[in-house]
């Protein structure tokens, strides 16, 4: 059995790690302010946006677990059948936290706070493995935990913020395994660290599958760098460049051929990144965004104008510093001067940073113009793997590897300088990156935002609430219209909904929802009320079947739909004399008489 060798001494001791964690917690509080004053009754999010589903996730998980039921199922969406949640963006780690706290707002906010702090502290600790300058370690933690990519997604996609396991996995991977050139199979240095790495992969699986995919790519790519002896390639010769050109050409034509053959890329190429995404500050950047950059983001030059899925911005200072360090090293070598040697186990980092940059752009694109299909595009034609269909999200690992490799390189140059100079350089760089990454204030979604009409609905004896408009939505399709805010509202009224917002819904479920006779009429009245005359009204038997399926349903009609054709269709369905209609702060509530 191989003997375990000790990991390198870490420059960031317990005190430094504690200070870094406190700083990251303070940053979380500052960025999310005034969330700290409404910790148990609000969360960061765009009203009617995707953030509502994460509060619902924690609420449903705890509700099901407390009742002794399967927490990966809910009877409250797609009523009366309910639906499984294994393929839903469910963030079970937040659900487990809510089992302990039993208050979904505190569980969600506390889970995100822990994730940001642990992401930063873990990345700082990882940097301390090779970087001697403590402030540079803290900068790496900040650049990863509060990267522009994560800050842009904060009001919408909480699962992309659950990155706490990423740096700790890299630490465990490097502590547990030792690689040698020409060998795919590593030597086990610590079985305990290997087991810890596998456990972290499991936690990542229940946090965010994009982060999980990134860790898998890192693991395979790191091993491949050593096995293929990429560090020994002599790039001053023409042969390696000829191989690179051949790979690019073959990858382009194979990818085109697969598309022409009819293979589905699951929209991965369409969602691919744009080089401009690395250069243009994202919407919501406090100091760097301008009216011109905002107009560019919202222009049709991007496939999805204004979408956070275009954000791959890394700032300007870190990429420029990385370029400057490379030029300085090249100049020193040509002059015969000594160049700081990179620690052996960090040598693959620049190649892996390039890999993740290429993963974000399966098709090399500039302002909407596609130039070349890269070999990374082939992944999107592989079933199962092509469920990672938003390639720009691979920038997560790049936002760790770029500052990490840059800090390692800069620290090497600073080791011969006076200690004061090292602190001054690190402080100036940290201040500049901090300036570049600043977001504007985030909106909050508050418990008090739930319309009073849903309190009235909650008091009714029936099992289901019918919100108007009604619909079913997943990551691919939509039938009717489902407002994600209905998930927040459901946490207050606790009744089932006929539709829902679930990450993956079978096609048969969509078809059944769209073609149910009464639902079909409601959907048509929402979408094309002028066509109602073309659809025969449901028969009395179909209306009776509807009421058997949704007994004593309560209908809630918001102000924008009151008096509209869909409201009239709802009224026409009600059993004569059995319902009453009230207006509650602009909302119409149609409920059974008691």
């Amino acid at each position: 059995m191989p003997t375990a060798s000790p990991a390198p001494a870490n420059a960031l001791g317990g005190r430094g790690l504690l200070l870094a964690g406190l700083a990251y917690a303070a940053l979380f509080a500052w960025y999310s302010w005034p969330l700290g004053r409404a910790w148990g009754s609000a969360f960061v999010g765009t009203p009617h946006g995707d953030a509502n589903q994460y509060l619902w996730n924690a609420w449903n998980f705890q509700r099901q677990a407390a009742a002794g039921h399967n927490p990966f199922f809910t009877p409250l969406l797609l009523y009366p059948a309910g639906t499984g949640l294994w393929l839903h963006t469910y963030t079970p780690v937040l659900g487990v936290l809510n089992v302990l706290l039993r208050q979904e707002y505190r569980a969600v906010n506390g889970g995100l706070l822990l994730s940001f702090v642990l992401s930063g502290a873990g990345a700082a600790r990882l940097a301390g493995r090779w970087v001697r300058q403590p402030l540079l370690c803290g900068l790496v933690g900040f650049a990863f935990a509060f990267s522009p990519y994560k800050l842009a997604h904060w009001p919408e996609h909480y699962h992309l913020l659950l990155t706490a396991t990423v740096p700790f996995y890299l630490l465990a991977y490097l502590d547990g395994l030792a690689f040698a050139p020409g060998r795919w199979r590593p030597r086990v240095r610590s079985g305990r660290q290997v087991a810890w790495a596998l456990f972290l992969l499991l936690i990542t699986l229940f946090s965010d599958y994009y982060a999980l995919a990134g860790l898998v790519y890192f693991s395979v790519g790191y091993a491949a760098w050593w096995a293929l002896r990429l560090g020994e390639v002599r790039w001053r010769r023409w042969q390696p460049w000829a191989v690179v050109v051949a790979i690019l050409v073959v990858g382009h034509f194979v990818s085109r051929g697969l598309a022409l053959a009819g293979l589905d890329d699951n929209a991965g190429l369409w969602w691919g990144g744009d080089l401009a995404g690395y250069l243009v500050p994202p919407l919501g950047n406090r100091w760097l965004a301008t009216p011109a950059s905002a107009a560019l983001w919202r222009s049709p030059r991007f496939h999805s104008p204004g979408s956070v899925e275009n954000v791959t911005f890394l700032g300007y200072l870190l990429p420029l510093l990385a370029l400057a360090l490379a030029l300085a090293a090249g100049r020193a070598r040509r002059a015969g001067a000594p160049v700081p040697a990179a620690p052996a186990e960090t040598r693959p980092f620049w190649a892996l940073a390039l890999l993740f940059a290429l993963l974000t752009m399966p098709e090399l694109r500039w302002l909407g113009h596609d130039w070349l299909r890269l070999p990374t595009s082939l992944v999107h034609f592989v079933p199962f793997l092509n469920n990672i269909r938003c390639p720009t999200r691979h920038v997560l690992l790049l936002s760790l590897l770029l500052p990490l490799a840059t800090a390692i390189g800069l620290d090497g140059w600073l080791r011969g300088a006076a200690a004061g100079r090292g602190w001054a350089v690190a402080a100036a760089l940290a201040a500049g990156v901090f300036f570049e990454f600043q977001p504007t204030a985030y909106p909050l979604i508050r418990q008090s935002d739930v319309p009073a009409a849903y309190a009235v609905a909650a008091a009714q004896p029936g099992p289901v609430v019918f919100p108007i408009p009604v619909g079913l939505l997943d990551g691919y399709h939509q039938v009717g219209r489902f407002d994600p805010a209905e998930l927040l509202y459901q946490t207050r009224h606790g009744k089932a909904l006929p539709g829902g917002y679930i990450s993956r819904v079978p096609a048969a479920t969509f078809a059944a929802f769209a073609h149910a006779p009464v639902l079909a009429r409601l959907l048509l009245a929402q979408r094309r009320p002028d066509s109602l005359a073309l659809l025969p009204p449901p028969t009395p038997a179909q209306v009776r079947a509807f009421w058997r399926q949704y007994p004593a349903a309560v209908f809630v009609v918001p102000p924008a739909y009151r008096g509209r054709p869909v409201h009239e269709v709802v009224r026409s369905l009600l059993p004569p004399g059995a319902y009453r209609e009230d207006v509650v702060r602009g909302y119409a509530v149609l409920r059974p008489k008691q």
Side-chain angles (χ1 to χ4, degrees), residues 62 216 257 294 349 577:
Q62 186 274 329
V216 172
F349 285 178

Side-chain angles (χ1 to χ4, degrees), residues 268-361:
L269 296 181
W270 189 89
W271 281 109
D274 194 302
L275 278 170
Y278 284 96
L279 300 176
V280 182
L283 294 168
N285 186 288
R286 183 181 295 273
W287 304 118
L288 299 182
T290 65
S293 67
L296 177 59
W297 273 114
R298 294 191 174 98
S299 75
R301 292 178 182 272
F302 286 98
H303 284 193
S304 182
S307 171
V308 294
E309 301 300 352
N310 296 317
V311 175
T312 49
F313 186 67
L314 298 168
Y316 300 118
L317 285 178
L318 288 173
L320 288 175
L321 178 58
L323 178 61
L325 290 172
L327 293 176
R331 182 179 300 176
R333 289 191 184 95
R334 288 192 296 273
V339 176
E345 61 183 355
T346 71
R347 291 173 190 165
F349 285 178
W350 283 114
L352 289 170
L354 176 62
L355 169 65
F356 282 103
L358 297 179
L359 284 169
T360 66
M361 293 182 293

